[in-house]
Amino acid sequence: MSAPPVIALDRLTKDYGQRRALGPLTLEVPAGRVGLLGPNGAGKSTLIKCLLGLVRPTSGRGTVLGFDIARRPLALRERVGYFPEVDCHVPDVSAAELVTLMGELAGLPRPDAIRRAHEVLDYVGLAEERYRPVGGYSAGMRQRVKLAQAIVHDPELLLLDEPTNALDPVSRERMLELIRDLGERRGMSIVYSSHLLSDVERVCDHVVILRGGAVIAQGRLADLRRGEGGAVDARVAGPAEALAAFRARLAAAGVAADDQQGGAVRLTGPDLSRVTLEAAREAGVQLRAFRPVRATLEDVFMEAVAAPAAPAGGG
Amino acid sequence: MPVVASGYRRWEGVRRGRAWRWLVLARAGVRLTGRSRWLFRFILMAWLPLLYYGVAFFVVGQLTEQRTIDAARGMWQFDVLRGMFGTPLAERFIEDPAGHRPAIWSALIYMFLHYTQIFCVMIVVALVGPRLVSEDLRSRALTLYLARPITRLDYIVGKLAVVCFWVGTVTLLPALALYALSIAFSPSVEALTHTIAVVPRVTLVSLALMVGTGAPMLALSAVFPNPRLLAFLWAGAWLMSSVASRVLGLALFPGTREGDWTGLVSVSANFDAIAFRVFDIDGLLRPAAEVSPRLLRTLERFTPGHDPLWSVALLLAVAALSLAVVAVRVGRPGEASAR
């Protein structure tokens, strides 16, 4: 029996006046680390705010960790951590005080909130600086404080909205490590919204791609990267006539061969392994490399975004 | 770097109920605003009138004891009393000093609130209130707050409680302290039973001051982004409302308080009117004033020209409108930023 989804949306929509910002969205997000991708204005942040109950959906319904987002937002917020996209802090308080306050607001008794605040601030790498007012922190430190306040109450689900924004490469690396650790080793489910594909690729094992408020692609990252055609990059060597014969045999079997940089040939078509091996043997060419093409997340994203609007699963 | 990096640890405690989450915000707000040295100094200053009123209560505590009166009968102190209140009232007082306790206690505590503490409320609210909501809006702390399991109402109540707390430190707390002092100075325990009604009255008036000043200040804080400017505007508007009321009163109702509604324009006069009714100053002092022209003149000077119920209605309307403004401004933080 498969685990219940952490997020389940049923024809969820959100309108701002006449403008539809989201949906209708039907979506099930499994436990684990899920990337939420989409170009600017795709509805990622609106979706996250809907999931937290910060924004009331116009129609449809949804549950997060089994709690209805419209009817039980307080119960779900006790179990969800939120890392907002915007720079936000409580003025004139230190990181230790801010994180303690956020823990208490999430329902932790004060002694527990104080202890947890120091634990998570240690975890995100804020040492003595935790006693300084957050207003004087660098952008990287503020992002770490935002992560600390999001996990102080030990949430089951962490909603991260552009967590590596404004970070230098070292801080970004550290942030990604922390997020990956929380998801992989601490068992927290993570929804990671970003337009930085490489970050999502490093942290997530599932992705949901939004465009214009609708889901246009979703699934396991490994499946999406495999690609539909199952293309193969091959490298062959032999006399020119043999190579020509090889290409002719491939063409006859319905396999397209496109020259790539560095002498490789990208083959696409049915039953590639058998057809290519037979064509090489019959034409007398040496098959020196035969490697399935693994699309990057960027390929998947660009392909999904460029395709005409035909929502995948999400309505 | 920590000596032992423990990494991330799970938390397995029991969460507290949601009913008191506003208190967390209130406590944090009080702690934060309490760091102001100006506020601390001012509150110390606001307690200074206790010295004066403490002496006054010591004197009346002694005077309202039958034993003291009996012991002093025929001595010069009687002449002082006659000089102060006039012979008929002094005679009435000498007959039953303890019976005058409720009137004297109520009047003194009313004076304490009327003369000094209302002014202190204006200053304390100006020192504490302007940043309460405006800073949260500016720094987007609201996004952090409302992503927690709290409602907008929790947020508003929590912030209002911060103002109420500090207003309480210059109204309710010193008034109760003064009352406790007065009881301590009284030679007999009877003073407590005669005057205990002062406690709920002080509480009620203090509550009116807390909500009546806290709610509008929260609304202004939610609208004005500049706390310093708002503090000056607040104090200026308060003082100007008194001046405007006085000028209007002289222009529209010269020489009479009958039907003079212009007190409704003044912030102080409205709170005074409410306190006057809550302490039942007229009901308690009228019998004595009937035999003392001086007391009658004083009583009439303090009697509001309008029905204090209008002040209560005005206060409630302003508070409701103010809280509605805060609710709209606070809104759902996501809605505003997502547009």
Side-chain angles (χ1 to χ4, degrees):
Chain A
M1 201 172 109
S2 62
V6 289
I7 298 169
L9 306 178
D10 182 18
R11 296 187 299 279
L12 190 87
T13 65
K14 176 63 194 172
D15 298 340
Y16 291 113
Q18 298 294 311
R19 188 174 70 84
R20 171 144 296 181
L22 198 65
L25 212 59
T26 299
L27 177 68
E28 286 197 350
V29 175
R33 289 160 286 135
V34 180
L36 191 57
L37 294 171
N40 290 339
K44 305 186 294 290
S45 295
T46 304
L47 174 58
I48 286 186
K49 283 164 189 159
C50 278
L51 296 178
L52 268 173
L54 292 177
V55 164
R56 191 184 293 278
T58 307
S59 66
R61 60 184 301 272
T63 60
V64 173
L65 300 169
F67 296 103
D68 191 295
I69 57 176
R71 291 184 191 150
R72 303 197 59 197
L74 298 185
L76 80 85
R77 278 187 225 147
E78 281 183 347
R79 290 161 180 82
V80 176
Y82 175 49
F83 184 113
E85 177 188 7
V86 291
D87 180 30
C88 46
H89 62 276
V90 179
D92 301 328
V93 303
S94 68
E97 288 171 311
L98 187 147
V99 178
T100 302
L101 173 61
M102 292 301 146
E104 281 191 271
L105 287 176
L108 272 63
R110 184 160 172 79
D112 285 21
I114 293 172
R115 185 174 52 78
R116 283 285 300 174
H118 286 278
E119 279 176 15
V120 295
L121 285 166
D122 262 341
Y123 177 69
V124 300
L126 281 173
E128 291 304 308
E129 303 92 343
R130 77 185 68 166
Y131 300 108
R132 277 174 34 207
V134 180
Y137 280 11
S138 67
M141 288 162 77
R142 283 192 199 192
Q143 294 291 80
R144 277 188 276 170
V145 174
K146 279 202 283 181
L147 182 62
Q149 65 80 29
I151 60 175
V152 65
H153 55 303
D154 192 23
E156 293 165 45
L157 171 66
L158 194 53
L159 301 176
L160 304 168
D161 201 354
E162 311 276 6
T164 53
N165 265 5
L167 293 184
D168 62 57
V170 177
S171 306
R172 177 169 159 263
E173 195 65 28
R174 173 82 179 123
M175 179 66 79
L176 291 174
E177 268 174 33
L178 288 169
I179 294 168
R180 199 180 168 89
D181 181 65
L182 287 168
E184 256 184 15
R185 294 170 56 195
R186 317 295 173 183
M188 224 177 258
S189 288
I190 288 172
V191 172
Y192 187 110
S193 166
S194 179
H195 55 257
L196 296 173
L197 304 177
S198 57
D199 288 1
V200 173
E201 205 160 18
R202 284 191 48 195
V203 169
C204 303
D205 43 27
H206 271 75
V207 289
V208 173
I209 303 178
L210 295 177
R211 186 183 65 183
V215 176
I216 51 172
Q218 64 170 316
R220 286 185 61 230
L221 195 51
D223 294 340
L224 290 172
R225 285 162 63 180
R226 198 169 288 139
E228 283 184 11
V232 166
D233 276 346
R235 203 176 286 275
V236 289
E241 308 84 59
L243 289 174
F246 173 68
R247 281 178 180 266
R249 284 170 199 280
L250 288 176
V255 172
D258 294 323
D259 288 327
Q260 303 287 300
Q261 281 185 337
V265 182
R266 178 155 298 172
L267 306 176
T268 47
D271 202 7
L272 273 178
S273 307
R274 189 185 60 78
V275 169
T276 310
L277 284 171
E278 279 180 6
R281 183 167 47 80
E282 287 167 8
V285 296
Q286 226 177 34
L287 189 58
R288 291 186 170 174
F290 188 79
R291 196 174 51 231
V293 174
R294 298 194 71 81
T296 62
L297 182 57
E298 190 174 345
D299 297 330
V300 175
F301 180 77
M302 294 307 289
E303 192 180 321
V305 170
Chain B
M1 194 174 160
V3 177
V4 179
S6 55
Y8 183 84
R9 282 191 271 180
R10 304 307 304 243
W11 178 72
E12 287 166 354
V14 180
R15 283 178 211 281
R16 287 188 157 172
R18 291 187 206 122
W20 296 91
R21 296 276 161 89
W22 63 269
L23 199 55
V24 174
L25 270 175
R27 203 172 50 206
V30 167
R31 210 178 301 128
L32 200 58
T33 47
R35 288 177 188 167
S36 161
R37 265 186 280 177
W38 279 106
L39 180 67
F40 183 71
R41 286 173 192 154
F42 184 78
I43 286 172
L44 275 183
M45 210 176 74
W47 280 62
L48 286 180
L50 249 72
L51 297 175
Y52 168 78
Y53 282 92
V55 171
F57 267 115
F58 174 76
V59 172
V60 298
Q62 300 299 322
L63 282 178
T64 51
E65 279 296 312
Q66 193 66 53
R67 277 172 300 174
T68 318
I69 294 292
D70 291 342
R73 201 174 288 275
M75 295 170 71
W76 63 270
Q77 286 91 335
F78 268 64
D79 298 329
V80 173
L81 270 179
R82 285 195 184 93
M84 277 172 69
F85 300 116
T87 304
L89 181 56
E91 292 298 333
R92 192 184 275 195
F93 180 79
I94 288 162
E95 271 173 33
D96 180 20
H100 287 79
R101 275 181 187 138
I104 297 173
W105 254 252
S106 292
L108 272 179
I109 298 230
Y110 166 76
M111 296 298 230
F112 171 66
L113 291 172
H114 169 86
Y115 276 121
T116 55
Q117 301 317 105
I118 283 187
F119 172 75
C120 294
V121 169
M122 177 190 81
I123 302 289
V124 160
V125 173
L127 288 173
V128 168
R131 297 180 65 192
L132 279 177
V133 181
S134 65
E135 290 285 270
D136 284 350
L137 289 170
R138 190 182 58 76
S139 65
R140 299 194 186 99
L142 262 176
T143 307
L144 292 179
Y145 288 138
L146 297 185
R148 302 279 144 185
I150 63 166
T151 60
R152 271 191 297 176
L153 186 64
D154 289 328
Y155 175 82
I156 294 169
V157 172
K159 291 289 175 180
L160 184 61
V162 178
V163 186
C164 291
F165 174 85
W166 291 115
V167 170
T169 61
V170 295
T171 54
L172 184 63
L173 285 183
L176 290 180
L178 188 59
Y179 178 70
L181 214 61
S182 72
I183 296 300
F185 285 152
S186 297
S188 76
V189 191
E190 276 178 355
L192 178 68
T193 53
H194 284 164
T195 60
I196 192 70
V198 165
V199 174
R201 284 172 174 168
V202 161
T203 309
L204 209 57
V205 171
S206 298
L207 273 176
L209 281 163
M210 290 171 185
V211 177
T213 56
M217 177 46 94
L218 279 195
L220 292 169
S221 172
V223 174
F224 279 87
N226 186 333
R228 199 163 291 180
L229 178 66
L230 174 56
F232 283 112
L233 280 177
W234 169 264
W238 186 303
L239 296 175
M240 283 309 293
S241 73
S242 296
V243 174
S245 161
R246 190 68 60 87
V247 170
L248 272 175
L250 288 174
L252 300 176
F253 302 95
T256 176
R257 300 296 305 275
E258 199 63 39
D260 183 355
W261 50 264
T262 54
L264 286 168
V265 177
S266 160
V267 180
S268 298
N270 278 299
F271 286 123
D272 278 342
I274 292 169
F276 191 86
R277 169 62 70 88
V278 170
F279 279 99
D280 192 21
I281 298 297
D282 191 64
L284 288 169
L285 292 187
R286 181 66 64 183
E290 277 167 6
V291 293
S292 166
R294 187 182 295 176
L295 186 60
L296 185 65
R297 278 198 301 277
T298 310
L299 183 62
E300 278 172 356
R301 188 156 60 84
F302 282 101
T303 304
H306 63 276
D307 188 339
L309 285 178
W310 282 109
S311 291
V312 173
L314 188 64
L315 182 147
L316 290 175
V318 169
L321 182 70
S322 302
L323 295 179
V325 169
V326 182
V328 169
R329 286 290 293 164
V330 169
R332 289 167 177 262
E335 301 270 4
S337 57
R339 277 171 214 220

